[in-house]
Amino acid sequence: MRADKAKVIDEIWDDARIDSFLDKQPLGDEPADYSQLLHAYRSMRVEDFEQFLHRYKDRGGNPAALNKDGNALADVIKNHRQAGPFLALLNS
């Protein structure tokens, strides 16, 4: 059995693509601010997430936004193996 999609490495993340994450609709019934952060975390490399986070904050986004269960993204990802750089950005 083969994978449906080939893994894409070193995608180009231009300003327009990063900005498009600021207009993403909420995932399910998650609050919009939290949902945007989660989607960006799941989709972006650290350097792209950093650019997103600056724009997100400039538009009034809260990096400590809570999900429907009352957890911030930093709490949700703190045990992820490669989350360290993302946590540093969220906590800065």
Side-chain angles (χ1 to χ4, degrees), residues 48-64:
D48 305 315
F49 186 77
E50 182 175 20
Q51 289 181 23
F52 165 81
L53 203 53
H54 286 295
R55 293 177 181 144
Y56 174 80
K57 289 178 186 178
D58 287 346
R59 288 181 65 172
N62 177 9

Side-chain angles (χ1 to χ4, degrees), residues 69-82:
D69 297 322
N71 299 307
L73 181 62
D75 297 325
V76 173
I77 68 171
K78 67 183 175 189
N79 293 321
H80 293 182
R81 187 170 39 105
Q82 297 180 8

Side-chain angles (χ1 to χ4, degrees), residues 31-44:
D33 273 2
Y34 176 84
S35 190
Q36 289 173 350
L37 285 170
L38 178 63
H39 194 71
Y41 166 73
R42 288 179 175 172
S43 303
M44 297 179 184

Side-chain angles (χ1 to χ4, degrees), residues 12-54:
I12 296 174
W13 284 81
D14 61 11
D15 291 340
R17 187 167 182 198
I18 291 170
D19 287 345
S20 73
F21 279 71
L22 297 168
D23 298 321
K24 291 279 185 193
Q25 295 299 311
L27 300 167
D29 58 350
E30 291 291 354
D33 273 2
Y34 176 84
S35 190
Q36 289 173 350
L37 285 170
L38 178 63
H39 194 71
Y41 166 73
R42 288 179 175 172
S43 303
M44 297 179 184
R45 299 171 298 190
V46 173
E47 54 271 15
D48 305 315
F49 186 77
E50 182 175 20
Q51 289 181 23
F52 165 81
L53 203 53
H54 286 295

